[in-house]
Amino acid sequence: MDCLTTNVPAPEEIDIPALREKYRFERDKRVRVEGQEQYAAHADHLTQDTYEHDPFTPVIPRDSLEEDIDVAILGAGWTGILAAYHLTNAGVTSFRNIDHAGGFGGTWYWNRYPGIQCDNDAYCYLPLLEEMGWLPSKKFADGKEIYDYIQTIADRFELREKGLFHTLVKRLDWDESIKRWIVSTNRGDTIRARFVIMAGGTLSTPKFPSVPGIHAFKGHKFHTSRWDYEYTGGEWGNPVLEKLKDKRVAILGTGATSIQAVPYLGKYAKELYVLQRTPSVVDKRDNPPTDPEWAASLKPGWQAHRQENFLRAANEILPRDQPDLICDFWTEINRNINGELDAEGKGPITAEEFWGRREVMDFRVMERLRRRVDAIVKDPATAEALKPWYRFMCKRPLSNDDYLDTFNLPSVKLIDVAPTQGLEAMTEKGFIAQGVEYEIDAIVFASGFEVTSDLRRRWGFDDVVGRDGVSLYDHWADGPQTLHGSMTHGFPNMFFTGYVQGGLNGTTTLQFGSQGHHAAYIITEALKRGVAVEPTREGQDAYIKRFNEVAADLSSILNECTPSYFTNEGEKEAKWFLFRGWGLGWDNWRDMMQEWRSAGTLEGLELRAESEQVPAE
Ligand SMILES: Cc1cc2nc3c(=O)[nH]c(=O)nc-3n(C[C@H](O)[C@H](O)[C@H](O)COP(=O)(O)OP(=O)(O)OC[C@H]3O[C@@H](n4cnc5c(N)ncnc54)[C@H](O)[C@@H]3O)c2cc1C
């Protein structure tokens, strides 16, 4: 089937300077001076008392462990699993995946809310499809199918017996005398590990708003990443929420999770209030089942090829002679540009012209998406409030066929909390918006996760103490300092993953996997040579200098985006940026790292024999 361009308004139909103005107005209306500090501190989380509780798997008491291993992988989501996979391939077998979940899965273990699916092409997103000889049943796979797939990977690579679950890591201390990390847990374990891979996830610590009166509310409350099917009725994979039929429910937040859950809450609850500060982009879903003919036609190497195609079609420049294999809302802007260039009979254009056209197409696509709201939502005021006024990638773009239509149900009401920059207050009985109290029985927090906030609140470890007794929280007080986004000076044998001064790929799991691969390489080398490794200060500084030199200019995003976790809630001086990757692009990054490994010299790292003393700084 041909991948078609979309029907967007012509450039003359939109007034770009006026839209820019409007975008800034909508941003300014929402930016709060507290930035990321507007959210409840970790210690004040509503679920703090239950944070260590797992609603899905009973916690079985066990004796504390005392053991020595080569590698402690902190986390058992995709990143931790891929690190384990690469270690296994490299011949390292003495490792553990430690996780406070009750099993493998990470995001896909904890998030079981109704309607959960991945939001981008699962043929790209789900790693190891070729190795596993498996395909998801549809383009945007269900969360449960992803979880089940993860279990087959854990079995296939014999990871299960290495998992240490329902175990929350509390602190990490480097013991220089034995050159081991001491991993302390809430189960009283002492695990001495030569290496630690930090795979605790980017969206794993639930975040809550700091709303006056939030603790006074006497009704039921839970976070979407701990969905309470006991309360709502139904079950994971079969979300018939029949217990809500006499309940008045509010859901706070209108991001990726909410868009998937709202159609179910709207269908079953007696009344539903959707508390929205910033509307999401919601396009049509188009989620066809996997075509067996297409599946049969796939040739070895197809997944890497598809992932590359996605990266270019969504974020970079898709060469005109390459088809858009992904062909969904993520790739619409580039697809339309290429279609227009073909129609104009234009030859190759410069990168400058491409990015200029991309900006204009962004405005046109967003206008199409706003018109889509008008076409679906019957009440004009509700439709107006549901329109996204920002550039396409300011907030995670979404697709769902039922979300907007849910607002046509008489039992569903959109509560716009933008004028008060978030929910005004809660009371014993419900919430207050623009001076009116709404009584409810339950509130569901679809308020997301700590993503780029202060490291301590995000990671939640009591401490991570390196070679000189320095806390990583202090060491990185002004933001991450790394070599290749992977290791930091003063913290030997410790590897970082996620979005830390490194490459950046549209297929997140490709990035996480490459980080695991890189760590596995260094660990294997260090084990072979019997050394501890850490970046030299010079090596690290040189990398950071280069990283900053080539960094992309994010100012247009910060100027024209409404606040969200994509933009550090509008903090211009933020220390962490989610999408600040290697400015020269993924291919450059991948090749640079490959060359670094191929050289075999571990350039920029200092190797110390186990018996060697720390050199004076
Ligand atoms: C609902 C949802 C949908 C998503 N959909 C997509 C998508 O479609 N496409 C996409 O690219 N990305 C998506 N993401 C992002 C997703 O988080 C990543 O794609 C990926 O799953 C992250 O894997 P991870 O292993 O890095 O982290 P996680 O999956 O979050 O795993 C980290 C694990 O570490 C554990 N952990 C953390 N701290 C500790 C500690 N102190 N002690 C013990 N264990 C700890 C956590 O319990 C967790 O299980 C989605 C995220 C969410 C929440």
Side-chain angles (χ1 to χ4, degrees):
M1 199 177 60
D2 280 345
C3 176
L4 302 175
T5 55
T6 58
N7 194 5
V8 292
E12 53 278 14
E13 282 182 58
I14 55 170
D15 179 347
I16 291 181
L19 282 174
R20 259 191 231 290
E21 250 333 277
K22 171 77 171 159
Y23 285 7
R24 291 196 174 147
F25 171 77
E26 293 292 329
R27 176 204 61 188
D28 292 347
K29 201 161 96 180
R30 294 172 172 88
V31 171
R32 285 173 55 158
V33 282
E34 315 95 293
Q36 304 188 78
E37 291 300 314
Q38 68 185 270
Y39 295 100
H42 194 263
D44 197 31
H45 274 176
L46 277 176
T47 49
Q48 185 59 24
D49 48 343
T50 55
Y51 182 59
E52 295 183 26
H53 168 70
D54 176 352
F56 310 122
T57 315
V59 178
I60 297 166
R62 66 163 172 82
D63 293 337
S64 303
L65 284 180
E66 178 158 353
E67 64 177 20
D68 292 272
I69 56 174
D70 280 341
V71 191
I73 304 172
L74 307 190
W78 278 129
T79 305
I81 290 165
L82 291 168
Y85 164 81
H86 286 291
L87 283 172
T88 306
N89 282 352
V92 179
T93 54
S94 167
F95 64 81
R96 272 195 180 286
N97 283 98
I98 308 175
D99 202 305
H100 79 115
F104 287 98
T107 287
W108 305 102
Y109 176 91
W110 290 115
N111 290 272
R112 302 179 182 208
Y113 58 81
I116 182 171
Q117 287 180 342
C118 68
D119 266 324
N120 65 288
D121 188 82
Y123 312 117
C124 287
Y125 175 65
L126 297 180
L128 308 178
L129 289 179
E130 288 195 64
E131 288 84 339
M132 296 296 291
W134 181 84
L135 285 173
S137 62
K138 52 191 170 198
K139 178 178 165 75
F140 299 106
D142 290 339
K144 179 136 186 356
E145 186 175 45
I146 297 176
Y147 171 84
D148 290 342
Y149 174 53
I150 288 175
Q151 306 317 306
T152 64
I153 295 177
D155 289 333
R156 161 86 175 270
F157 297 102
E158 297 176 2
L159 304 181
R160 213 166 277 292
E161 71 268 22
K162 294 185 162 71
L164 189 60
F165 294 116
H166 283 147
T167 303
L168 185 70
V169 176
K170 300 294 277 183
R171 60 179 293 137
L172 296 160
D173 295 87
W174 175 252
D175 184 336
E176 178 64 17
S177 67
I178 52 170
K179 295 204 170 53
R180 295 289 185 274
W181 281 103
I182 311 299
V183 182
S184 311
T185 77
N186 66 338
R187 296 292 198 110
D189 307 313
T190 303
I191 299 168
R192 287 174 293 272
R194 290 173 78 141
F195 303 91
V196 167
I197 300 179
M198 308 289 263
T202 307
L203 293 103
S204 61
T205 305
K207 181 173 81 177
F208 292 88
S210 254
V211 179
I214 197 166
H215 292 286
F217 178 60
K218 293 233 165 88
H220 198 67
K221 49 198 174 209
F222 58 89
H223 190 272
T224 48
S225 67
R226 304 290 186 274
W227 193 271
D228 189 348
Y229 281 107
E230 272 294 301
Y231 183 81
T232 63
E235 58 191 350
W236 188 28
N238 182 28
V240 180
L241 312 180
E242 80 286 348
K243 290 190 185 171
L244 296 183
K245 65 176 187 299
D246 58 350
K247 298 283 190 295
R248 299 157 303 175
V249 180
I251 180 165
L252 183 143
T254 49
T257 294
S258 180
I259 265 59
Q260 294 184 336
V262 158
Y264 291 87
L265 290 172
K267 182 173 174 188
Y268 291 105
K270 182 177 155 207
E271 282 168 32
L272 176 67
Y273 298 102
V274 181
L275 311 185
Q276 169 192 276
R277 182 167 59 180
T278 311
S280 283
V281 159
V282 187
D283 205 350
K284 66 178 174 1
R285 188 63 158 173
D286 274 349
N287 194 5
T290 299
D291 174 5
E293 245 177 71
W294 169 76
S297 74
L298 295 171
K299 304 272 178 310
W302 71 267
Q303 191 177 26
H305 178 60
R306 192 175 176 94
Q307 288 169 331
E308 261 179 38
N309 185 271
F310 176 48
L311 172 66
R312 297 198 208 307
N315 302 338
E316 297 187 349
I317 300 178
L318 180 68
R320 301 256 296 281
D321 57 357
Q322 281 188 27
D324 173 357
L325 298 176
I326 308 305
C327 199
D328 61 20
F329 63 107
W330 290 95
T331 59
E332 174 183 4
I333 295 181
N334 277 8
R335 182 162 73 248
N336 284 356
I337 294 172
N338 279 356
E340 288 200 340
L341 290 171
D342 289 345
E344 289 167 27
K346 279 198 102 169
I349 56 169
T350 61
E352 202 185 353
E353 184 179 349
F354 172 83
W355 290 110
R357 280 179 179 254
R358 196 174 152 112
E359 192 178 0
V360 174
M361 188 57 76
D362 190 312
F363 283 110
R364 294 168 65 194
V365 165
M366 288 301 292
E367 192 59 27
R368 175 183 78 72
L369 290 159
R370 287 188 287 268
R371 290 180 186 182
R372 183 171 187 270
V373 180
D374 278 330
I376 296 174
V377 179
K378 297 201 176 94
D379 174 53
T382 306
E384 205 47 42
L386 283 165
K387 288 181 190 166
W389 296 100
Y390 45 76
R391 290 179 63 166
F392 186 69
M393 279 303 290
C394 283
K395 201 169 154 67
R396 193 186 170 101
L398 302 166
S399 64
N400 188 293
D401 292 337
D402 304 315
Y403 176 74
L404 291 173
D405 204 27
T406 303
F407 292 94
N408 292 326
L409 294 172
S411 55
V412 177
K413 189 167 168 50
L414 183 72
I415 306 284
D416 182 4
V417 297
T420 43
Q421 296 185 315
L423 181 58
E424 210 170 319
M426 290 198 72
T427 62
E428 271 189 27
K429 292 184 181 158
F431 64 89
I432 296 181
Q434 309 216 31
V436 178
E437 183 179 24
Y438 294 80
E439 291 191 13
I440 51 171
D441 299 298
I443 183 163
V444 180
F445 288 94
S447 40
F449 302 88
E450 301 275 351
V451 178
T452 51
S453 53
D454 175 70
L455 202 55
R456 190 185 288 272
R457 62 184 282 161
R458 193 170 0 129
W459 278 1
F461 298 118
D462 292 346
D463 217 339
V464 178
V465 179
R467 180 162 51 68
D468 289 323
V470 175
S471 164
L472 190 62
Y473 296 138
D474 295 333
H475 185 57
W476 282 2
D478 294 324
Q481 312 279 319
T482 69
L483 174 65
H484 300 150
S486 170
M487 303 188 79
T488 190
H489 180 71
F491 293 75
N493 293 3
M494 175 169 274
F495 298 87
F496 305 99
T497 62
Y499 301 95
V500 188
Q501 280 183 341
L504 188 71
N505 191 294
T507 301
T508 53
T509 50
L510 181 62
Q511 161 159 319
F512 303 153
S514 74
Q515 291 168 332
H517 173 56
H518 188 66
Y521 166 76
I522 296 175
I523 289 171
T524 321
E525 286 300 310
L527 285 171
K528 260 195 267 173
R529 303 176 199 203
V531 293
V533 285
E534 68 177 88
T536 61
R537 194 174 281 286
E538 301 71 41
Q540 179 171 299
D541 288 350
Y543 173 74
I544 295 170
K545 185 163 170 281
R546 184 75 185 132
F547 183 85
N548 289 331
E549 275 166 9
V550 300
D553 179 8
L554 297 176
S555 56
S556 69
I557 297 177
L558 291 174
N559 288 338
E560 286 175 16
C561 283
T562 47
S564 77
Y565 78 89
F566 268 30
T567 64
N568 294 339
E569 299 297 343
E571 280 180 21
K572 292 197 179 167
E573 303 303 322
K575 294 165 188 161
W576 292 81
F577 280 98
L578 183 59
F579 295 131
R580 189 155 179 243
W582 184 245
L584 299 178
W586 175 258
D587 290 354
N588 182 281
W589 165 263
R590 181 199 53 208
D591 295 347
M592 178 176 83
M593 298 305 287
Q594 186 52 51
E595 273 168 36
W596 185 91
R597 288 190 293 270
S598 300
T601 53
L602 304 183
E603 194 189 334
L605 292 180
E606 178 187 315
L607 317 184
R608 280 182 299 118
E610 303 233 308
S611 56
E612 212 175 309
Q613 292 305 301
V614 187
E617 287 279 325

